[in-house]
Amino acid sequence: MKRISELMSLKGRVAVITGGAGHIGSAMAEALAELSANIVILDISLESCLSVCESISKGYAVETLPLAVNLGQEEHIRTVPADVVSKFGRLDILVNCAAFVGTSNLPGWVAPFEEQSADTWRQALDVNLTAPFTLTQACTPALRNSGNGSVINVASIYGLVGPDMHLYKGTEMGNPAAYAASKGGLLQLTRWLATVLAPDVRVNAISPGGVSRGQPEVFQRRYIERTPLKRMAIEEDFKGAVAYLASDLSSYVTGQNIIVDGGWATW
């Protein structure tokens, strides 16, 4: 029987993290690097990708690759597997973390429902849902060849439950319909892919709750009051879940959604 340390190890494997220069994406990339995976940081800004790659390279004895990709452009997305395989010879783990979120600066996004824009809805679904579909599809041959293929989709509690708009009262924050719809769609795509890509590739999801990032005090107070563990998340709260789903610790787990929300969705 293998030891836990053997099951956790990602030595020799290659992980692609979309949104890898962001808050949660970079934390997840660091977690996988800690387990000895080589890391591909994919984001829209090459400068940001390079910065994260440099930080990981300094901290861990792994190789990195920065990839600047516009996830709203299918032709850009479909170049990713070839770029990764060209450098590393393989692709084992795909973390779909990039997304438009509640604080994204888009017209007709954080607005009353009557003012939310159909154009912005389409943009959000392109990045939050269509891009994971397209990238997973493009990466599937390499993931099948891996022998350890794992796809991890980063969804949200708002793909599971409706929003309490009272939380946002008196702030400039909001909870757009397109965000919730795209994250709910990503969870169903996870289940669909889990059955279709089995037994070669495992597909699971992580649904984060609210992450503390300097939101207005009144919002944080209301949010914490509704959370059983009485705090908002921090980025490192997601490292354990991604390490579990990426590694052989979860070799018999597929089609599942790990909710990391301090108990928010249990009410």
Side-chain angles (χ1 to χ4, degrees):
M1 184 178 294
K2 291 182 179 178
R3 294 176 179 270
I4 290 290
S5 58
E6 294 177 88
L7 294 171
M8 289 175 62
S9 175
L10 297 176
K11 190 172 181 61
R13 299 186 198 178
V14 177
V16 176
I17 302 95
T18 77
H23 296 282
I24 292 178
S26 60
M28 289 183 169
E30 181 178 295
L32 302 184
E34 287 183 53
L35 300 181
S36 300
N38 295 316
I39 302 295
V40 180
I41 297 295
L42 188 157
D43 217 306
I44 197 164
S45 162
L46 180 58
E47 183 179 356
S48 297
C49 292
L50 286 165
S51 176
V52 175
C53 284
E54 181 181 358
S55 175
I56 288 172
S57 296
K58 285 180 178 178
Y60 307 97
V62 301
E63 294 185 65
T64 62
L65 174 65
L67 286 181
V69 176
N70 183 346
L71 291 174
Q73 301 292 325
E74 180 177 352
E75 63 271 22
H76 292 185
I77 295 171
R78 293 199 178 275
T79 66
V80 170
D83 289 340
V84 175
V85 173
S86 175
K87 178 172 175 63
F88 295 107
R90 61 188 297 153
L91 195 169
D92 305 276
I93 300 155
L94 172 62
V95 181
N96 287 306
C97 187
F100 285 127
V101 297
T103 54
S104 296
N105 185 22
L106 299 169
W109 180 244
V110 177
F113 176 63
E114 294 85 349
E115 299 172 20
Q116 292 180 27
S117 158
D119 285 341
T120 299
W121 166 282
R122 282 187 286 268
Q123 287 183 61
L125 264 68
D126 276 350
V127 172
N128 294 11
L129 185 55
T130 305
F133 162 82
T134 305
L135 184 55
T136 303
Q137 184 184 65
C139 291
T140 290
L143 290 166
R144 287 191 190 278
N145 288 336
S146 159
N148 302 104
S150 175
V151 177
I152 302 164
N153 292 321
V154 180
S156 168
I157 55 170
Y158 290 117
L160 294 162
V161 299
D164 177 0
M165 301 307 281
H166 171 71
L167 295 175
Y168 309 102
K169 187 176 180 180
T171 76
E172 295 183 358
M173 299 172 64
N175 194 309
Y179 180 76
S182 62
K183 293 301 188 178
L186 189 60
L187 288 171
Q188 183 56 26
L189 179 63
T190 299
R191 290 184 281 267
W192 190 92
L193 289 169
T195 60
V196 172
L197 298 187
D200 304 310
V201 181
R202 297 183 299 108
V203 186
N204 293 285
I206 298 169
S207 287
V211 182
S212 179
R213 293 204 191 112
Q215 296 97 333
E217 188 276 334
V218 65
F219 169 84
Q220 292 209 32
R221 185 179 71 250
R222 291 167 182 162
Y223 193 96
I224 289 167
E225 284 173 357
R226 285 203 49 180
T227 305
L229 291 186
K230 297 304 176 191
R231 68 174 176 88
M232 296 189 73
I234 57 175
E235 278 71 16
E236 72 178 41
D237 288 322
F238 308 107
K239 293 176 74 172
V242 76
Y244 172 69
L245 292 176
S247 71
D248 291 347
L249 287 169
S250 60
S251 63
Y252 197 54
V253 176
T254 197
Q256 303 305 306
N257 175 35
I258 298 179
I259 305 169
V260 186
D261 70 345
W264 173 273
T266 38
W267 291 114

